[in-house]
Amino acid sequence: MEFDRSGVDALMDITKRPELVFVRGQGSWLEDHTGKRYLDFMQGWAVNSLGHCPPQVVKALSQQAEQLLNPSPAFYNAPSMALATRLTAASVFDRIFFANSGAEANEGAIKLARKWGQLHRGGAYKIITFEHSFHGRTLATMSASGKPGWDTIFAPQVDGFPKARLNDLASVRALVDEQTVAIMLEPVQGEAGVVPATTEFMQGLRKLADEQGLLLIVDEVQTGFGRTGKLFAYEHSGITPDIMTLGKGIGGGVPLAALCAREAVSVFAHGDQGGTYNGNPLMTAAGVAVFDALTAPGFMASVNARATQLSQGLQALSDKWGMKGERGMGLLRALMLDRDDGGAIVEAARDWAPEGLLLNAPRPNLLRFMPALNVSADEIDAMLARLDEVIDKIRAGAVLTAP
Ligand SMILES: *Cc1c(COP(=O)(O)O)cnc(C)c1O
């Protein structure tokens, strides 16, 4: 297959992309238009929890597609109730609203918290969020995010998202006032470079929220659905949040997200929330297939075994190359580089011949790893060996061009 430039010019130019088209995928491997294969440790930004085209999800989608695509959100459908039942049974939450993206689930969380504030906290509406956080790309979720520059890019912002510092409880307490209704955070800040909130901080936030009568919202769009070695990341700290959002991995590659809330917080009145595609049977059937795979006996144990292997392998690379260590939870990990060549490593790994390697550098001095949760031990070893070769090549070049 030829690379088609006219197709490129028909798309809005919203990001720099390499001149290749992926045509098929299986498990941890992708294939481009020339037939070149790539070992994929991005997996659509932690979206493909079971790798590319997992048979369970393909089967669920094709069976559901033959049976019923969308009766309209005005009616019940079986897959959405099956998935909601599974989620409430496996978590501390009682009620689920399905959405189509993480940003939309977070919008729902913000609306739910504001509604709760109107009913129970005298109209309080402010939600304390965090510097460097990422909650999505709608106007409200961009305003909630702490990404540098996002406060002005589409000004004016949606009001009411004061920013605290992660793992600094005093910085949160200092922002609480009469108008505060909730605290919202990612248990591991993903886009910021895989920065985990400490257990002590999570527990401190819960205590602060209880003392002040605030809601605690966890954005588990990236950390949920097994990514951190437990089904949900909040479980690591033993706390009970009031609201949780899911996205990415929940659909195993298809657009599905969820807003989960405890009964006392599920205060939407009829008409407050909805959406044409929300909870449609095609996507929720995929979600059921993913959930059942993750909760099958032994699955999470193997995620944790692979996480240990990846963590140790990355630490060994860091030691060998004099880098700054590795961090993360489960199969959401980062290698901290000692210099700003993350972008160069990502490009060289992708362009490697005969097989490429797909990695992500959310920051210039850091590589992020988000393999399929069912990645094999051999695939992790292959990735580590390839990455070592790539670093060797990049850094040899760096020495040669040094003054
Ligand atoms: C990706 C992400 C989002 C946004 O999800 P979309 O599906 O891209 O809208 C929100 N929060 C976190 C923590 C994310 O990683």
Side-chain angles (χ1 to χ4, degrees), residues 100-104 106 134-137 186 188 190-191 219-222 247-248:
N100 309 292
S101 70
E104 191 193 353
N106 283 335
F134 181 82
H135 298 294
R137 292 178 174 276
E186 302 156 81
V188 181
E191 302 310 302
D219 174 349
E220 296 228 22
V221 170
Q222 192 159 142
K248 296 201 166 92

Side-chain angles (χ1 to χ4, degrees), residues 177-214:
D177 64 24
E178 282 297 294
Q179 297 302 317
T180 309
V181 71
I183 303 162
M184 172 161 145
L185 83 162
E186 302 156 81
V188 181
Q189 286 191 339
E191 302 310 302
V194 191
V195 187
T198 64
T199 293
E200 186 190 16
F201 185 64
M202 294 294 281
Q203 293 174 349
L205 286 181
R206 179 69 273 180
K207 195 152 164 278
L208 178 65
D210 288 343
E211 284 164 11
Q212 302 282 339
L214 309 175

Side-chain angles (χ1 to χ4, degrees), residues 239-262:
I239 60 155
T240 300
D242 301 294
I243 296 174
M244 170 174 76
T245 54
L246 297 170
K248 296 201 166 92
I250 185 178
V254 303
L256 178 64
L259 164 63
C260 314
R262 294 175 55 78

Side-chain angles (χ1 to χ4, degrees), residues 60 64 68-72 77-80 277 279-286:
Q64 189 59 46
L68 179 64
L69 286 176
N70 198 349
S72 134
N77 73 74
S80 73
Y277 293 118
N280 71 80
L282 189 65
M283 298 305 138
T284 48

Side-chain angles (χ1 to χ4, degrees), residues 49-50 54 56-57 59-60 63 78-79 81-87 89-90 225-226 231-232 249-252 256 284-300 373-374:
S49 19
L50 302 173
Q56 311 93 314
V57 174
K59 186 172 162 219
Q63 282 183 350
M81 291 189 285
L83 184 54
T85 310
R86 281 165 170 75
L87 291 176
F225 257 65
L231 201 50
F232 307 113
I250 185 178
L256 178 64
T284 48
V288 169
V290 175
F291 182 95
D292 288 350
L294 261 57
T295 51
F299 188 91
M300 289 310 298
L373 298 181
N374 58 0

Side-chain angles (χ1 to χ4, degrees), residues 336-355:
M336 277 108 72
L337 307 173
D338 55 321
R339 58 190 92 166
D340 287 352
D341 59 359
I345 292 174
V346 165
E347 283 195 18
R350 187 191 64 226
D351 295 341
W352 203 263
E355 279 170 350

Side-chain angles (χ1 to χ4, degrees), residues 9-301:
D9 295 338
L11 291 172
M12 276 199 199
D13 189 18
I14 56 150
T15 189
K16 183 170 171 280
R17 295 185 174 111
E19 294 227 334
L20 54 88
V21 182
F22 285 118
V23 292
R24 62 178 62 82
Q26 193 63 61
S28 289
W29 291 89
L30 272 174
E31 188 183 314
D32 75 10
H33 64 292
T34 67
K36 179 180 167 182
R37 280 160 42 90
Y38 301 74
L39 182 55
D40 186 3
F41 270 63
M42 289 169 62
Q43 289 289 357
W45 279 280
V47 161
N48 307 310
S49 19
L50 302 173
H52 292 282
C53 301
Q56 311 93 314
V57 174
V58 171
K59 186 172 162 219
L61 285 169
S62 54
Q63 282 183 350
Q64 189 59 46
E66 299 231 330
Q67 202 174 330
L68 179 64
L69 286 176
N70 198 349
S72 134
F75 301 105
Y76 295 117
N77 73 74
S80 73
M81 291 189 285
L83 184 54
T85 310
R86 281 165 170 75
L87 291 176
T88 55
S91 72
V92 297
F93 304 100
D94 307 299
R95 300 273 183 173
I96 313 294
F97 171 78
F98 290 111
N100 309 292
S101 70
E104 191 193 353
N106 283 335
E107 283 272 344
I110 293 162
K111 284 169 66 176
L112 190 61
R114 286 191 175 190
K115 176 86 190 201
W116 186 86
Q118 286 173 8
L119 295 172
H120 297 291
R121 219 177 130 79
Y125 67 97
K126 289 187 196 168
I127 299 177
I128 298 172
T129 57
F130 290 85
E131 291 174 4
H132 303 293
S133 63
F134 181 82
H135 298 294
R137 292 178 174 276
T138 61
L139 280 175
T141 56
M142 282 184 82
S143 304
S145 299
K147 252 177 120 95
W150 276 21
D151 48 343
T152 52
I153 179 170
F154 298 118
Q157 283 197 291
V158 176
D159 187 29
F161 297 101
K163 304 287 182 305
R165 284 182 304 276
L166 194 73
N167 294 328
D168 179 350
L169 200 57
S171 77
V172 184
R173 189 176 283 115
L175 291 176
V176 176
D177 64 24
E178 282 297 294
Q179 297 302 317
T180 309
V181 71
I183 303 162
M184 172 161 145
L185 83 162
E186 302 156 81
V188 181
Q189 286 191 339
E191 302 310 302
V194 191
V195 187
T198 64
T199 293
E200 186 190 16
F201 185 64
M202 294 294 281
Q203 293 174 349
L205 286 181
R206 179 69 273 180
K207 195 152 164 278
L208 178 65
D210 288 343
E211 284 164 11
Q212 302 282 339
L214 309 175
L215 302 179
L216 181 59
I217 305 172
V218 285
D219 174 349
E220 296 228 22
V221 170
Q222 192 159 142
T223 55
F225 257 65
R227 179 56 52 188
T228 67
K230 289 192 183 287
L231 201 50
F232 307 113
Y234 74 80
E235 296 172 42
H236 290 286
S237 51
I239 60 155
T240 300
D242 301 294
I243 296 174
M244 170 174 76
T245 54
L246 297 170
K248 296 201 166 92
I250 185 178
V254 303
L256 178 64
L259 164 63
C260 314
R262 294 175 55 78
E263 185 68 40
V265 184
S266 299
V267 292
F268 281 142
H270 288 182
D272 285 351
Q273 184 67 326
T276 305
Y277 293 118
N278 295 59
N280 71 80
L282 189 65
M283 298 305 138
T284 48
V288 169
V290 175
F291 182 95
D292 288 350
L294 261 57
T295 51
F299 188 91
M300 289 310 298

